[in-house]
Each structure stands twice: as structure tokens, then as C-alpha cells.
Amino acid sequence: AIVSLITIINIIYNYSRNNSPNVVENKNKQSEIYSKIRPELSLSNNESSKLEDNNNNNSTLNNESIVKSNNFEYFCCFCVMGKMENRYTRELISYYLSLGVDKFVIADNNLPNTEKFTDVVQDYINNGTVDYIDIIGQFYEYAEYYEIMYQKYKNKCEWVTFFDFDEYLALYSEEGKKIALKEFLSNKKFDKCEAIEFNWLLYGDNDLVYYDNRTSIERFTKPDYENRYNGYVKSMIRGGLKKTAFFPTQSIHKPDRNIITCSPDGEIPIKFSLDGLNPPNFKYGYLMHFNTRTAEEYVGKIKRGYAGNKYEPINERVNLFFTHNKFTKEKLEVFEKLLNHTFSRYHDRNDN
């Protein structure tokens, strides 16, 4: 009877603790932050609870989780799913080749009867630099297809990255010198890491309005160190793991909770979190995130929607643009003309 009473007391205590106003408020805040980026991937309360219960499971590295192999075909594979990115694809490949990536895996999620990645990278496909996957017109959550790609390539690639077409990795040595992937990853501090998470560093439009044929790095030179979105991270994951890298209802900003993640400092563990946020850390590595580019280019981003064929309301996307960039009437005119839409909330703005 005493044991039963203790059990009942523990049940009541745990229920009260987990459902207290402060805990519930914190869960709701996490869910709210998370859903602003990818609302369609928001987790249910049950899923959130499961993740919090397992939040400390990645505190130590289990070496049995790694397949030790010297037989990887590639050092670093760049896996990406995209649509309407032909304008930037060769620029991206050229940049990451110089950084040391030796295989690109492009999942083509364009809509039927629009552009295809094969229009611009057929030579790279022919010489084996690019593996092309045709998922034109199909629906996949980002994390769902990331997992498909990881499982397919994890035994071919020593490292697998999951960055987008507007994310350019910058790496630095202890002395602050720009370095390539092999030098960066050869540091012993990463020996016990299964994944490395890099913060975004957002770049604005540099007050440019229209596209020109310079590279993104040449055009956009002003990082916004104070941008609140810099807390978001994207990952590169060690190949050969006997683990799930992503699960479908999860943010693409974090690997699976069972992955042992490090910062570019080599510090472990970074705890799994629902919101995909880490304190900004730019010392040894970060992702230059050209998330808006110019107003003209951002229109294309609005029209295409997300890879995975999901869309956001036009007003929200334009509001987000002016959150990251200075408002001018010229930019507003570009949006209204190319989107054939009136954004009346901005018509009383006097700033140029």
C-alpha cells in the first residue's frame, strides 16, 4: 500500500511539474519560434514531449555507432533538394569544389514543365561530380528527403552536408586564416563528433534591387551580426553512422536527437532542441546565408515556394524581406509589379 501511495504521489508530482505554467509556456514558445520558420513541420505536443524526454541522450559518444572505414569513395558529399535554383547552381558547385567537396547530390524538386537542374549541370553529371535525382513534382518534407539521401550516401561519403543553395560555408583556422574542409575536419577536436552544426550569418541585399551576374559573395558583403535568425544552424554529418540522421517531422536545422553534435569549436554535446537554435558562434565556421538576395530575386523565391512544393502567403514573405533589408519605394515597386499585388501597409512609409 505504501508503494502504491508513493507511486501515486510521483505521478501527481511529475504531471504537475511537466504541466506547470512555466513549463507549458516554455514549450509553447519553442513551438511558436519553430513554426515561424517551417510551420508545416511543427511538432505535436506528444512529439515535443518525447524529444524533451530524450534531450540528454546525446551526452556521450557511443563509438559503436560509427562504422570505421577507410573505404569511403568520397571525402565530402553535398546533398541538397531544390527547385528554381538554376541561376545559382554552377556558382554554388564552383564554390564548394574550391572548399573540398568532391561529390554533389542534387534532388530536383522542380515542378513539371519548368526548369530542370540538368539544364545547367549536365557536364558535371557526365563527369561524375554530380549525382542527379529526379523527384520533379513530388512532395517531400525537407527532413524526410534528407534522411533518404543520408541513408543512400552514408557509406560512400566520409562527411555529408545538408546546406541549401543560399548557404555558403566559411571555415577558419585557430589563427583566423580561411581554410578548406580537410584542414578544418582534420582537427582532433572533432574526433568524437558525429555532426558539426554551423550557425547562419545572414547577409542583406547590400541595397541592390536587381540581379547581376556577379557571385553572391561578390554582391552581398555586409553581414548582419545582430540578426535574430543567426541562431539557426545547419549540419554536416559524419558518414557511416548506424543511426537515423533526420526524422520527417523534425526541423531541418537539427539532426536527429541521437546524433552527437558539436559546434565548430569542437565542444560537445550540443543538446537537441525543438527550435534548431544555438547561440551564434562565428569564430571557426559559419554559413554565409544569402537568404533574400535582391528584391527581384526574392520575387522568384516567393513564386517558387519551398522545395517540397509548399508555399507561404505573399504578404508574410515580403514582410520578412523588409525585416532583413532596408525599405525603399523602389524595392516595393519591384514587388508590386512582379507579383501583381498591392502591399498597402507600406504605402504610407516615407523612408527611402
Side-chain angles (χ1 to χ4, degrees), residues 206-236:
N206 263 52
D207 293 321
L208 301 173
V209 181
Y210 298 97
Y211 170 80
D212 65 60
N213 61 9
R214 292 174 296 159
T215 66
S216 298
I217 291 175
E218 291 171 323
R219 292 188 291 147
F220 308 112
T221 59
K222 299 175 182 177
D224 181 0
Y225 288 101
E226 304 303 319
N227 196 297
R228 64 190 179 93
Y229 286 84
N230 288 339
Y232 282 91
V233 297
K234 300 292 279 296
S235 305
M236 61 186 308

Side-chain angles (χ1 to χ4, degrees), residues 25-117:
E25 181 183 5
N26 183 55
K27 288 181 180 179
N28 290 339
K29 283 182 178 178
Q30 280 193 319
S31 180
E32 180 182 353
I33 294 171
Y34 181 80
S35 64
K36 284 181 180 177
I37 298 298
R38 293 301 307 277
E40 69 276 13
L41 298 185
S42 297
L43 299 178
S44 67
N45 290 333
N46 287 337
E47 289 172 311
S48 300
S49 298
K50 287 179 182 178
L51 293 182
E52 289 194 5
D53 291 341
N54 288 280
N55 204 23
N56 294 314
N57 284 355
N58 66 348
S59 58
T60 57
L61 176 64
N62 175 8
N63 288 325
E64 295 300 317
S65 69
I66 299 178
V67 177
K68 298 295 185 184
S69 174
N70 295 318
N71 298 317
F72 290 114
E73 294 180 50
Y74 308 104
F75 169 63
C76 184
C77 295
F78 187 101
C79 290
V80 63
M81 178 174 71
K83 61 192 290 191
M84 305 302 288
E85 298 281 7
N86 279 13
R87 177 181 272 179
Y88 311 106
T89 302
R90 295 189 72 87
E91 170 190 325
L92 181 93
I93 291 174
S94 178
Y95 179 83
Y96 276 101
L97 282 173
S98 71
L99 205 61
V101 170
D102 50 355
K103 171 63 77 172
F104 296 82
V105 184
I106 299 178
D108 189 338
N109 196 222
N110 279 295
L111 295 173
N113 303 315
T114 62
E115 68 181 37
K116 299 178 182 178
F117 285 106

Side-chain angles (χ1 to χ4, degrees), residues 250-282:
Q250 173 192 330
S251 168
I252 58 172
H253 293 277
K254 286 280 185 178
D256 189 280
R257 63 186 180 275
N258 295 312
I259 299 289
I260 310 304
T261 53
C262 300
S263 71
D265 294 335
E267 296 179 0
I268 59 174
I270 294 178
K271 289 185 178 181
F272 181 89
S273 65
L274 292 179
D275 52 29
L277 290 165
N278 289 347
N281 181 344
F282 305 130

Side-chain angles (χ1 to χ4, degrees), residues 119-305:
D119 297 336
V120 293
V121 296
Q122 190 60 54
D123 56 333
Y124 284 123
I125 296 170
N126 293 344
N127 68 23
T129 302
V130 169
D131 282 1
Y132 173 78
I133 303 173
D134 184 345
I135 52 170
I136 291 175
Q138 299 178 43
F139 172 77
Y140 288 97
E141 302 286 12
Y142 275 98
E144 178 185 11
Y145 208 80
Y146 280 2
E147 174 64 11
I148 291 172
M149 288 192 285
Y150 180 75
Q151 295 304 326
K152 183 174 181 178
Y153 284 89
K154 69 178 184 180
N155 294 325
K156 297 180 180 181
C157 311
E158 188 173 348
W159 289 91
V160 186
T161 73
F162 294 93
F163 307 146
D164 287 336
F165 286 91
D166 56 3
E167 297 168 347
Y168 290 60
L169 185 63
L171 301 172
Y172 295 88
S173 67
E174 302 281 344
E175 298 74 32
K177 180 186 71 172
K178 275 196 171 183
I179 57 176
L181 278 162
K182 281 196 175 180
E183 183 177 350
F184 179 80
L185 293 169
S186 66
N187 196 309
K188 294 294 183 183
K189 66 186 178 183
F190 297 124
D191 283 355
K192 292 188 176 182
C193 304
E194 294 178 340
I196 305 171
E197 298 180 346
F198 298 93
N199 282 96
W200 278 348
L201 177 55
L202 270 71
Y203 285 69
D205 62 9
N206 263 52
D207 293 321
L208 301 173
V209 181
Y210 298 97
Y211 170 80
D212 65 60
N213 61 9
R214 292 174 296 159
T215 66
S216 298
I217 291 175
E218 291 171 323
R219 292 188 291 147
F220 308 112
T221 59
K222 299 175 182 177
D224 181 0
Y225 288 101
E226 304 303 319
N227 196 297
R228 64 190 179 93
Y229 286 84
N230 288 339
Y232 282 91
V233 297
K234 300 292 279 296
S235 305
M236 61 186 308
I237 302 177
R238 190 184 293 276
L241 299 183
K242 301 175 184 177
K243 293 184 175 183
T244 299
F246 296 92
F247 62 92
T249 56
Q250 173 192 330
S251 168
I252 58 172
H253 293 277
K254 286 280 185 178
D256 189 280
R257 63 186 180 275
N258 295 312
I259 299 289
I260 310 304
T261 53
C262 300
S263 71
D265 294 335
E267 296 179 0
I268 59 174
I270 294 178
K271 289 185 178 181
F272 181 89
S273 65
L274 292 179
D275 52 29
L277 290 165
N278 289 347
N281 181 344
F282 305 130
K283 185 174 181 181
Y284 297 112
Y286 55 85
L287 286 165
M288 296 178 281
H289 187 25
F290 306 112
N291 65 316
T292 67
R293 294 189 171 102
T294 65
E296 178 201 20
E297 293 166 89
Y298 195 71
V299 168
K301 197 168 186 175
I302 293 172
K303 287 182 175 180
R304 75 162 193 240

